[in-house]
Amino acid sequence: ARYLSYKVSCEEEVDSSRTYFDVKVLIKSISYKDVMPDYIFEEDENVSLVFKKDRFYLTNKSDSYITVDSLSFYHNGKIATSSDRDFEFAPQSEAELMPMANLPLDKNSIEFPNITRTIASKLKVKYGVAIKYRVVNTNKEITLYRTRAYPLLDLISNLSAY
């Protein structure tokens, strides 16, 4: 469903000789879905993880092979994880890890119905990423995990309503 909550007002009476008259439309609230940051960047000494254009990319900054065991995306109190495959990255390489579509997102948690500018300016929404990976030489599991709170107003500024 695509909708705005609005109020229309105009003059109660209009002279029939007029071809135009003013109508005021006040948008009370807008509903948004699939609200996510456009870009996330997190890194540690071995890897850089980037989320952009609905895809995750990984850079292996080390001189060893890295195997990514799982990827998690944190979205407004929910976690979507993919851990059913091992991704190998050559030393000093960069490649796509996976598209967002491969993660079991809770779409309701990134939907914001009936949002006003006042609500959007006060509300912060937490998003983040985590990957569990192994540096092949050591076979030691390492976790890169970060979340951040984003102002909802910033997140919806470039979105259209649904």
Side-chain angles (χ1 to χ4, degrees):
R2 180 177 261 221
Y3 66 93
L4 301 171
S5 176
Y6 62 91
K7 178 181 177 185
V8 177
S9 60
C10 61
E11 301 170 41
E12 285 191 30
E13 291 185 11
V14 178
D15 187 308
S16 63
S17 64
R18 290 174 53 193
T19 51
Y20 296 99
F21 61 94
D22 290 333
V23 175
K24 294 180 183 174
V25 177
L26 171 67
I27 297 173
K28 296 194 271 183
S29 67
I30 303 174
S31 295
Y32 297 90
K33 67 177 183 175
D34 298 331
V35 176
M36 290 190 281
D38 290 331
Y39 184 82
I40 297 174
F41 175 83
E42 301 298 348
E43 68 179 338
D44 64 15
E45 64 277 359
N46 297 312
V47 297
S48 298
L49 181 64
V50 172
F51 170 73
K52 66 180 176 183
K53 296 187 178 165
D54 293 327
R55 298 185 175 281
F56 294 93
Y57 300 90
L58 186 105
T59 301
N60 177 358
K61 302 186 297 184
S62 78
D63 293 330
S64 301
Y65 272 87
I66 285 182
T67 301
V68 175
D69 297 320
S70 61
L71 168 71
S72 295
F73 181 69
Y74 294 76
H75 52 294
N76 198 21
K78 304 292 182 183
I79 305 169
T81 299
S82 175
S83 57
D84 57 350
R85 37 178 107 81
D86 291 336
F87 297 99
E88 273 201 350
F89 290 84
Q92 303 297 326
S93 68
E94 180 178 343
E96 181 181 335
L97 186 56
M98 75 169 54
M100 176 64 83
N102 287 11
L103 290 173
L105 287 182
D106 180 340
K107 293 285 195 172
N108 291 331
S109 71
I110 55 176
E111 243 179 57
F112 296 88
N114 302 318
I115 296 298
T116 65
R117 187 174 226 14
T118 303
I119 291 169
S121 65
K122 293 178 182 175
L123 189 60
K124 292 192 182 265
V125 187
K126 193 179 275 190
Y127 290 91
V129 291
I131 58 168
K132 181 174 70 172
Y133 67 92
R134 290 174 278 131
V135 178
V136 174
N137 295 9
T138 65
N139 212 30
K140 177 180 148 191
E141 288 185 346
I142 301 169
T143 298
L144 168 62
Y145 164 70
R146 304 267 193 296
T147 61
R148 300 177 194 276
Y150 294 81
L152 181 59
L153 187 59
D154 292 350
L155 293 170
I156 63 174
S157 292
N158 296 325
L159 294 178
S160 59
Y162 71 94

